[in-house]
Amino acid sequence: MSKIISVSNQKGGVGKTTTALSLSAALGVLEKKVLLIDMDPQSNATSGLGIDANEANLSSYDLINGNSKPSKLIIQTSSPNLDIIPAKIDLVGLEIEIISKSDREYLLKNALKSIKEKYDFIIIDCPPSLGLITLNALTCSNSVIIPIQCEYFALEGLGKLLNTIKGVQKVHNPGLSLEGILLTMFDSRLRLSNQVKEDVRKHFGNVVFNTIIPRNVSLGEAPSHGESILVYNATSKGSKSYLKFAQEIVNLN
């Protein structure tokens, strides 16, 4: 049975796309069949896997709009067991286009019905906002991963996101759960990083994943080479951390 997980945080710069991409690649290395759906108009997950968004004829825009069969939007990547539905800049105007539709919150859920059982995991990289695209992702998901950077203002806006998740659970998707909170950009040398880690664990307890993603140069370099961290530098701390995180996700499911 397929598990659909949204990676979401309306706050930018928290490692959201890095997590969606790296987790997807790591799950593939663990021999899980994975589909990564890029729902962010910035299309960083798409370019991070070496795909030129401008050359992609079809994208996640067409997935939600129903312009094409979902199976025709899937691109096989060079990363083992990992497929992607890419994003393009035309996602920017999508929310205005679908706002008048009666089933606007369920468009993505309906679109995925024909392909979801082909995968063990479907990972959705949400945009850094709480608009209709993110609402569609949460409505079709089984759970949510929230990345939080170990820096100042780490918890800023988290309450709003958690309230959105509760709202979706109540109205659109009773089966939605919080998979967990992932600490990212951790630097053990910094007092602030350690303080944020302690505060988040104290406040959220078991909801916080055991795995912590460190600050790592290779994690920043990999997307510019169009490769996942596991392909770009398999021995890096970033690669090992996301493999450990992927194993934690597998164990939870």
Side-chain angles (χ1 to χ4, degrees):
M1 184 176 174
S2 180
K3 175 103 185 234
I4 304 176
I5 303 175
S6 282
V7 181
S8 180
N9 193 326
Q10 79 274 24
K11 191 173 183 294
V14 299
K16 176 185 61 66
T17 295
T18 297
T19 293
L21 197 163
S22 302
L23 172 61
S24 298
L27 287 168
V29 169
L30 294 178
E31 299 187 341
K32 300 297 180 182
K33 184 67 176 169
V34 185
L35 174 65
L36 173 60
I37 303 178
D38 190 351
M39 295 302 303
D40 189 339
Q42 298 174 87
S43 63
N44 290 333
T46 299
S47 59
L49 285 171
I51 297 165
D52 187 340
N54 295 320
E55 291 184 3
N57 293 324
L58 299 169
S59 68
S60 54
Y61 170 87
D62 303 286
L63 180 67
I64 286 192
N65 246 352
N67 294 340
S68 174
K69 289 183 178 180
S71 57
K72 292 186 177 180
L73 308 175
I74 297 169
I75 297 175
Q76 188 174 6
T77 75
S78 57
S79 196
N81 300 309
L82 176 59
D83 294 341
I84 186 172
I85 293 181
K88 293 171 69 174
I89 192 66
D90 51 9
L91 272 174
V92 169
L94 181 64
E95 295 190 350
I96 296 173
E97 293 177 32
I98 66 174
I99 197 166
S100 60
K101 294 189 176 183
S102 58
D103 61 343
R104 58 184 178 269
E105 298 93 350
Y106 301 92
L107 295 173
L108 184 57
K109 181 177 182 177
N110 293 333
L112 293 179
K113 285 180 180 177
S114 64
I115 59 170
K116 68 177 184 178
E117 294 306 326
K118 296 178 182 178
Y119 295 93
D120 297 307
F121 289 93
I122 296 177
I123 308 296
I124 304 175
D125 183 26
C126 298
S129 69
L130 295 178
L132 262 178
I133 293 177
T134 296
L135 187 55
N136 262 268
L138 297 178
T139 298
C140 79
S141 294
N142 301 109
S143 63
V144 191
I145 291 172
I146 303 175
I148 293 180
Q149 82 282 28
C150 294
E151 295 178 354
Y152 198 56
F153 292 135
L155 300 179
E156 188 182 54
L158 183 59
K160 192 173 182 181
L161 175 56
L162 292 174
N163 285 335
T164 298
I165 292 171
K166 287 178 183 177
V168 172
Q169 289 170 328
K170 188 175 181 179
V171 180
H172 303 294
N173 184 4
L176 180 66
S177 66
L178 179 58
E179 189 81 14
I181 293 172
L182 177 67
L183 293 166
T184 65
M185 304 180 189
F186 179 74
D187 189 337
S188 60
R189 300 168 299 178
L190 300 178
R191 181 183 299 175
L192 179 59
S193 277
N194 287 288
Q195 186 63 54
V196 170
K197 180 184 74 171
E198 289 175 17
D199 289 348
V200 172
R201 288 201 184 282
K202 182 179 179 181
H203 196 272
F204 293 101
N206 294 335
V207 176
V208 184
F209 290 109
N210 293 323
T211 306
I212 297 176
I213 308 300
R215 272 203 176 278
N216 181 245
V217 174
S218 293
L219 278 173
E221 292 175 343
S224 65
H225 293 267
E227 296 174 338
S228 72
I229 183 63
L230 284 89
V231 173
Y232 177 70
N233 188 350
T235 61
S236 67
K237 286 183 178 180
S239 180
K240 291 176 181 177
S241 295
Y242 274 110
L243 268 174
K244 182 181 177 184
F245 180 46
Q247 188 61 64
E248 189 173 353
I249 292 293
V250 170
N251 292 343
L252 286 171
N253 294 281

